[in-house]
């Protein structure tokens, strides 16, 4: 006979099981270990939690000492969005670079090597890849995180990425369902809206997700976006029509559905994270991602209690919460089995020692596109002045990860100097450069009028200027030499520097 105490304990454990919280620091706090012992089934890692591969391996081992089957998740897309190498820049180019090469075997190999490193550090769920079709070049949050703007290309590379990552024993989390590419608003700050007809959504946004499902993606992440053609009232994360009707029933997906961060303003500013989490589970989500901005015990307890209270009030069916918790545990079982086939803990602690370790740089080199301008090209043979025109980074990328070509050019040419500019300041650039050749480094110049104006003025004053575009290659080439890297990962900077000096 089930007692009230038994039922309460089951509800509490199930409510904890569906949460994927973060925390602050490079060691697991006592409160987190305590909640894992009480039923918390997942932990999310961010750049603030990682100092080195060895430290990460020790951290994940400590989490599993508390509970062997805890899911350790990370937001490691490679490219611009890296947590493993947040302080140095990624050893892997991102999706846009891989899409520009359009070699699905290369994409699979890059994802497999990234997965090998994650598995070696004890991480078994990666909130990647982005399957968004970046059909809006002014998109402020997707951009180079997408494989491109062609649905067929994005679909085949999404599937290749999923297969590669999961071959290393790391579960993929294909995102942001049903597609965040055609937005001009960052859902970290407000609720984006996509006003297109149903036929367009099926032929464009949903195509990569169909391929990801066919490829066996173990999880899918929902988007905080409003699509009136699917649900005019609620964003995808909170929509029964989208998560249950479309993803589960129409597309036949049976894996784990994870929400995007519930503290993002698209949800929290309208519903609050407690109410938003209840609505998300009721709509069909199985796991609540929270912790990018809110990373404390109080948040976990508030969400746990909100879910339990919603069940008791009849606002959330008990069987729906139980089903969600069961799906989390099922994925944990899969990863535990896959972990045995992956590299043992610590195997990825020495970068560059394993087969395939150079695949990231190889891919970055293949992604570079060089356009020679009308001004005769002369190889860069002396230390230049690097002018980095720096936009405000979106929250997904963060502003702590270095990018550009200055460090690599300084290694090649001691005496290289650099300056960072956040507005049109061409006179300052020319004054600082003196007689040195200018290398202007930009990121999404087409989205920032001040950046485009600066480049035009700089090239007019110094026609031998070299331009390196490390974002979307959506503007006309400028300069004596225009180098498009299709991303700002560290390896993209290396490849760009090689192109600048003609190697």
């Amino acid at each position: 006979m089930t007692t009230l105490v038994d039922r309460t304990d089951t509800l509490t454990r199930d409510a904890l099981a569906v949460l994927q919280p973060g925390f602050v620091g490079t060691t697991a706090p006592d409160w987190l270990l305590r909640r894992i012992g009480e039923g918390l089934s997942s932990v999310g890692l961010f750049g603030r939690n990682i100092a080195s591969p060895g430290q990460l391996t020790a951290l994940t081992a400590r989490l599993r000492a508390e509970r062997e089957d805890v899911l350790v998740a990370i937001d490691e897309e490679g490219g611009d969005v890296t947590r493993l190498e947040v302080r140095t820049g990624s050893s892997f180019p991102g999706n846009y670079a891989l899409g520009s090469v359009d070699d699905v075997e290369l994409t699979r190999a890059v994802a497999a090597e990234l997965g090998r490193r994650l598995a070696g550090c004890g991480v078994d769920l990666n909130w990647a890849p982005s399957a968004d079709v970046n059909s809006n070049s002014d998109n402020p949050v997707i951009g180079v995180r997408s494989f491109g703007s062609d649905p067929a290309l994005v679909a085949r590379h999404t599937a290749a990425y999923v297969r590669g990552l999961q071959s290393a024993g790391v579960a993929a989390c294909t995102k942001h369902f049903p597609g965040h590419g055609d937005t001009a608003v960052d859902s970290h700050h407000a609720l984006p809206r996509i006003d297109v007809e149903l036929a367009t959504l099926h032929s464009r946004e949903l195509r990569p997700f169909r391929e990801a499902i066919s490829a066996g993606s173990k999880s899918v992440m929902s988007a905080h976006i409003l699509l009136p053609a699917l649900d005019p009232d609620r964003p995808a994360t909170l929509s029964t029509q989208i998560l249950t009707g479309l993803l589960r029933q129409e597309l036949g997906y049976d894996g784990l559905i994870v929400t995007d961060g519930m503290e993002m303003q698209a949800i929290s500013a309208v519903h609050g994270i407690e109410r938003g989490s209840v609505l998300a589970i009721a709509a069909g989500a199985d796991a609540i991602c929270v912790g990018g901005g809110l990373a404390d015990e109080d948040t976990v307890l508030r969400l746990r209690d909100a879910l339990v209270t919603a069940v008791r009030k009849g606002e959330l069916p008990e069987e729906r919460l139980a089903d969600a918790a069961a799906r989390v545990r099922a994925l944990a079982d899969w990863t535990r089995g896959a972990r045995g086939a992956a590299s043992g803990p610590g195997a990825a602690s020495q970068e560059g020692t394993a087969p395939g370790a150079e695949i990231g740089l190889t891919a970055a080199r293949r992604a570079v596109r060089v356009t020679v301008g009308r001004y005769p090209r002369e190889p860069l043979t002396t230390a230049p002045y690097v002018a980095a025109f720096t936009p405000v980074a979106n929250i997904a990328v963060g502003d702590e990860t270095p990018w550009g070509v200055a460090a690599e050019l300084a290694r090649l040419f001691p005496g290289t100097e650099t300056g960072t500019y956040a507005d049109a300041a061409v006179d300052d650039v020319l004054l600082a450069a003196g007689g040195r050749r200018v290398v202007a480094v930009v990121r999404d110049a087409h989205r920032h009028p001040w950046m485009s104006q600066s480049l035009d003025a700089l090239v007019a004053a110094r026609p031998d200027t070299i331009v390196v575009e490390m974002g979307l290659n959506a503007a006309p080439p400028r300069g004596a030499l225009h180098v498009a890297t299709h991303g700002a990962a560290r390896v993209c900077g290396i490849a760009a520097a090689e192109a600048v000096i003609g190697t």
Side-chain angles (χ1 to χ4, degrees), residues 23-29 46-52 55-56 58-60 87:
F23 62 95
V24 175
T26 55
T27 58
F46 298 86
R48 63 175 179 251
N49 304 123
I50 300 170
S52 69
Q55 169 268 327
L56 176 57
L59 171 59
T60 59
R87 292 168 181 82

Side-chain angles (χ1 to χ4, degrees), residues 33-112:
L33 298 175
R34 185 168 59 252
R35 299 307 169 193
I36 290 173
E38 294 173 357
L40 185 68
S41 296
S42 308
V43 176
L45 300 180
F46 298 86
R48 63 175 179 251
N49 304 123
I50 300 170
S52 69
Q55 169 268 327
L56 176 57
T57 303
L59 171 59
T60 59
R62 180 67 187 91
L63 294 172
R64 292 206 169 89
E66 198 66 38
R67 178 173 178 171
E68 183 182 359
D69 64 345
V70 67
L71 278 169
V72 181
I74 198 169
D75 192 10
E76 179 58 53
E77 299 177 13
D80 291 31
V81 180
T82 179
R83 312 307 180 205
L84 281 181
E85 300 176 279
V86 67
R87 292 168 181 82
T88 61
S90 182
S91 299
F92 302 92
N95 286 2
Y96 186 50
L98 295 172
S100 73
V101 177
D102 196 14
D103 178 344
V104 291
E105 178 53 31
L106 178 67
T107 296
R108 189 209 61 77
V110 166

Side-chain angles (χ1 to χ4, degrees), residues 1-11 312 318:
M1 178 179 179
T2 301
T3 68
L4 180 60
V5 173
D6 292 335
R7 181 170 179 264
T8 298
D9 184 63
T10 298
L11 283 177
R312 288 174 172 163
E318 185 172 355

Side-chain angles (χ1 to χ4, degrees), residues 385 387 389 421 425-438 454-465:
Y385 181 77
F389 294 96
Y421 303 89
V426 173
D427 289 342
D428 293 339
V429 174
L430 295 173
L431 181 63
R436 297 168 181 262
R437 193 165 184 187
V438 177
S454 296
L455 285 181
D456 289 339
L458 186 57
V459 170
R462 294 284 296 270
D464 64 343
T465 295

Side-chain angles (χ1 to χ4, degrees), residues 110-128:
V110 166
E113 175 60 16
L114 177 58
R116 185 194 68 80
R117 296 191 191 184
L118 290 171
C121 292
V123 177
D124 50 18
L125 171 59
N126 190 12
W127 294 320

Side-chain angles (χ1 to χ4, degrees), residues 259-304:
T259 73
D260 207 345
M262 295 302 289
E263 69 270 33
M264 294 164 64
Q265 293 296 300
I267 299 295
S268 63
V270 179
H271 303 278
I273 62 168
E274 295 97 330
R275 180 61 178 165
S277 297
V278 170
L279 292 174
I281 297 295
D286 305 306
I288 301 295
C289 177
V290 63
L294 297 172
D296 54 37
E297 183 176 21
D298 180 64
T299 298
V300 172
L301 296 180
R302 285 162 52 204
L303 295 181
R304 179 201 67 184

